[in-house]
Amino acid sequence: MKRTILMLFMAVFCLSASAQTAQKLYEEGKTLYDQKNYTAAFPKLKAAAEKGHKKAQYRLGRCYDKGNGTEEDDRKAFGWYEKSAAQGYAKAIYQLGKCYKDGEGVQKDKKKAVELFTKAAKMENADAEYALAKAYFKGKGIATDKAQAKKWLQRAVSNEKGGKEVLADLRKDAADGEEDAKAMLALIGKK
């Protein structure tokens, strides 16, 4: 009995130490990534991602997606986004939706993209809320529904995490002459 308890304690301790190591690697990698030192960030993020750290998996996906610190590889980006999304990380779920929308690293599937945008939007991810609004507005992957487009667009621009950026991007697109952006701003009474 004592041996079983000791073995359980050791297993929990080892898992805890591994998680702390993954967290430390992620934090170091994220700091380097944010400083745009991608070459130094990549191995730390990869090590943390391989240990199952969901945010490191997402960031590693971004590295492969953009070619930051490694060669660009859409399939590898998709794979890492998928691992992170499976753990419920909203940013990864949104990025996975973008992969399906654009056919990057996976077969294009607008309906699957909308499904993933909806899931991330319900987790209050501003980018996903905006992507979902655009899908409803344009009828891409889902039936056109201006009321739903308005609802999700209002949520996106008022989102505390990223709403200002969404609105700024929308205004920039409108200023650049993009008609859909102008119409979407009019839909929510913004200019």
Side-chain angles (χ1 to χ4, degrees), residues 60-128:
L60 189 61
R62 296 295 290 160
C63 287
Y64 283 115
D65 195 357
K66 302 297 180 189
N68 293 335
T70 189
E71 193 171 317
E72 188 174 320
D73 187 326
D74 290 341
R75 286 181 186 239
K76 285 183 180 177
F78 177 84
W80 285 109
Y81 290 147
E82 196 170 40
K83 288 176 191 276
S84 179
Q87 294 189 65
Y89 192 50
K91 287 182 178 184
I93 295 167
Y94 163 70
Q95 286 298 332
L96 206 55
K98 278 185 61 181
C99 290
Y100 277 105
K101 179 180 95 48
D102 299 330
E104 293 180 354
V106 68
Q107 179 83 25
K108 190 181 278 194
D109 185 338
K110 300 240 186 230
K111 287 183 181 184
K112 180 71 174 173
V114 168
E115 176 187 313
L116 291 162
F117 291 152
T118 301
K119 184 174 181 178
K122 288 179 179 178
M123 298 169 80
E124 299 181 2
N125 179 279
D127 292 324

Side-chain angles (χ1 to χ4, degrees), residues 25 28-29 32-33 35-45 69:
L25 284 166
E28 291 170 0
L32 292 164
Y33 186 96
Q35 294 169 349
K36 298 187 182 349
N37 186 349
Y38 304 122
T39 304
F42 182 81
K44 291 182 181 292
L45 292 172

